[in-house]
Amino acid sequence: MSKGFIAGVATALVVVAVGGAGAYAVVQHQSQQKALQTKQAKTRSMSAKLASAQVKQSSAKTQTSQTVASSASMASSASSSSRQSSNDIFDNLPQKTQLALIITAAWNDGNPYMNTHYGVYMGTANKIVIYDYGEGAGGWPDHVARFVDNHDGSFTVAWPHTTTDNASANSDNTTWQDHSTITKADMLARFYATDAEKATVTAVEEELDLSTINKAFDLLPA
């Protein structure tokens, strides 16, 4: 065997060995790149899922906050409605109903006289004089009352006080004497809470005479 042949074989083996190592290195490099790409893809997928979860969580928190705020607002509105003051309720009633309630509260302890007439005088600021002139029994001081609006949800009730007999009573010998205080809340609670009580107030409304509502009560100035 010649030295040239041996050298040629050796050279070929070296080339094959080098070529095989190169191919293995390429394959290994490609495998590593693929693994890296797969890892990066998984990382991106996890990041996307995490971001999506954070968005959903944030959205859920926002929605929950909005729901809580809305519920709180509704509760506050309902609470405000339920807390509507008696003064507002009274003031929103028709004028005749308000007057009838005042009469019911002041006359005969919640049992106002019927089949009569209640003349209403409101010619003096902040004062209401009501004259029950339809009964005919006794002098006028027994049938009239004054109500002073205190602008705090209450009225001060006054009756005439005379130093003589009713038949001789006039503005010279008679004055208004405070008797009690009635409130809008009390009137609603005591005389306007049931259907029967409302029916009584409605009946009193029918007895009102509003023809003098813009006049002052001349028998005893308010």
Side-chain angles (χ1 to χ4, degrees):
M1 186 177 295
S2 67
K3 292 182 179 180
F5 175 78
I6 294 173
V9 170
T11 302
L13 288 174
V14 171
V15 171
V16 169
V18 172
Y24 174 78
V26 170
V27 170
Q28 187 177 33
H29 176 69
Q30 289 176 342
S31 177
Q32 289 175 343
Q33 278 192 325
K34 186 174 182 180
L36 178 61
Q37 290 173 349
T38 300
K39 185 176 181 180
Q40 290 176 338
K42 287 182 178 180
T43 301
R44 286 195 297 269
S45 177
M46 290 179 63
S47 298
K49 288 180 179 179
L50 180 60
S52 177
Q54 289 176 336
V55 169
K56 288 181 179 179
Q57 184 178 16
S58 176
S59 177
K61 286 183 178 179
T62 301
Q63 186 174 4
T64 300
S65 299
Q66 291 174 341
T67 300
V68 170
S70 177
S71 298
S73 177
M74 291 174 65
S76 175
S77 178
S79 177
S80 177
S81 178
S82 66
R83 291 198 310 268
Q84 184 181 24
S85 73
S86 297
N87 293 349
D88 292 335
I89 295 173
F90 184 93
D91 292 342
N92 288 330
L93 293 172
Q95 184 184 50
K96 290 182 68 174
T97 304
Q98 293 180 28
L99 292 168
L101 262 172
I102 290 173
I103 292 169
T104 302
W107 256 267
N108 199 26
D109 194 27
N111 296 290
Y113 302 112
M114 299 297 180
N115 300 317
T116 184
H117 299 289
Y118 293 99
V120 179
Y121 298 81
M122 295 175 62
T124 303
N126 302 317
K127 296 175 181 177
I128 306 169
V129 175
I130 297 178
Y131 181 23
D132 166 23
Y133 66 84
E135 287 186 277
W140 66 267
D142 289 336
H143 300 278
V144 65
R146 184 190 69 183
F147 304 87
V148 178
D149 187 349
N150 298 315
H151 296 288
D152 61 358
S154 71
F155 296 88
T156 299
V157 185
W159 302 94
H161 174 71
T162 183
T163 58
T164 184
D165 59 90
N166 286 344
S168 304
N170 56 48
S171 59
D172 294 327
N173 54 37
T174 306
T175 58
W176 291 106
Q177 187 174 63
D178 290 346
H179 176 266
S180 61
T181 298
I182 57 176
T183 66
K184 296 174 180 180
D186 188 55
M187 284 188 279
L188 291 171
R190 293 180 59 200
F191 308 112
Y192 207 64
T194 68
D195 290 340
E197 290 167 349
K198 291 179 180 180
T200 297
V201 171
T202 299
V204 174
E205 289 183 42
E206 300 300 321
E207 308 293 333
L208 293 175
D209 176 3
L210 301 182
S211 63
T212 55
I213 196 169
N214 294 319
K215 297 180 179 179
F217 186 65
D218 56 359
L219 294 178
L220 185 62

